Amino acid sequence: MTERKKILLRLDPAVHDAITRWAGDELRSTNAQIEFLLRRALANAGRLPGDVGHMPRRGRPPKDDDSAEAVSGDVATRGARSEDGEE
């Protein structure tokens, strides 16, 4: 993995608090929320480089391969149950 850049960012305290609350709502760290917002702004402006890597996934890794499939399963099939509760 490429080394991540570190920067010092000065923010208005009210802006920082708002980003921190928003990050908490989306289960992200404040740092991850800032990066998410910057990436989205770059993409919306057509300035996100094509070779930019994905944001690192955070959190606990799956216990085994079966768990990984359950976590990363196709969104279209999630929650698709018949009337009798069968998938």
Side-chain angles (χ1 to χ4, degrees):
M1 180 158 91
T2 308
E3 184 177 333
R4 310 218 7 115
K5 297 285 186 175
K6 298 174 188 170
I7 64 166
L8 174 63
L9 178 64
R10 291 178 183 87
L11 295 172
D12 181 286
V15 170
H16 182 270
D17 291 345
I19 291 172
T20 299
R21 283 191 306 275
W22 190 2
D25 292 345
E26 299 201 9
L27 303 177
R28 289 189 184 101
S29 68
T30 301
N31 190 76
Q33 186 70 10
I34 291 169
E35 183 173 1
F36 170 80
L37 294 170
L38 288 171
R39 285 171 178 258
R40 187 168 67 180
L42 286 167
N44 288 344
R47 294 179 171 263
L48 187 66
D51 62 345
V52 71
H54 293 288
M55 284 189 64
R57 293 192 60 95
R58 303 289 187 213
R60 185 176 297 152
K63 290 182 181 178
D64 56 33
D65 289 345
D66 293 335
S67 297
E69 286 181 19
V71 170
S72 65
D74 185 6
V75 175
T77 61
R78 277 190 211 155
R81 297 181 184 272
S82 65
E83 291 179 11
D84 59 0
E86 297 293 319
E87 288 190 17

